[in-house]
Amino acid sequence: AGFTAVNLSGCDFCKKPAKNPEGHFVLWQLPPQTHSQMNSYVLRTTGGKVIVIDGGCSGDASYLRGFLGSLGNHVDTWFISHTHLDHVDALIDILNNPYRLTIDTIYGSLPDEAWVEKNEPSACTTLKSLNVALAQSGHSCTELDLGQMLLIDGVKFEIIGIKNPELI
């Protein structure tokens, strides 16, 4: 399946939401809430914008929602690296049950359902669930391009990987 990879420039690591050091952003790698592997990163820019990368499994959704609540219940940008359940199931849960959490923009490079059905059928249910959750929540996934640069409140994101439908 496709995989979106980003390259970030300069960060500080903290264990809990705290004031950003002047001129820096803060990046948290959230701990898994289940026994499954997962990827969930939250970044807060110097100007206070909140960026999420992936989010983890559905069992991580409650913790992630609480963590984002402590940052103001607003996500400016959400990146999806790829559509395996340990990366997007928490986002699916949040899109289906946002409570007070709002998300402005979702970025990713999502493969077509037909491609996934043929080449990675075990991942098709997750992709279909994500597509339904996006549509029902009124969100869409903004397609990323290889080499694209995004500057979000002083943090530069370079897209170094996207879906590769020509690979099997």
Side-chain angles (χ1 to χ4, degrees), residues 78-144:
W78 198 303
F79 286 99
I80 300 170
S81 68
H82 65 287
T83 58
H84 287 164
L85 61 90
D86 60 321
H87 294 260
V88 299
D89 269 7
L91 172 59
I92 293 168
D93 187 79
I94 288 169
L95 290 171
N96 289 331
N97 303 291
Y99 302 108
R100 293 180 302 274
L101 182 66
T102 60
I103 303 169
D104 289 346
T105 306
I106 299 172
Y107 287 103
S109 183
L110 306 183
D112 296 325
E113 288 181 14
W115 186 92
V116 174
E117 186 72 53
K118 178 181 176 190
N119 296 290
E120 192 179 11
S122 64
C124 202
T125 300
T126 301
L127 176 59
K128 287 179 180 180
S129 296
L130 175 61
N131 287 335
V132 167
L134 286 166
Q136 290 180 345
S137 68
H139 286 88
S140 62
C141 184
T142 302
E143 183 69 24
L144 294 167

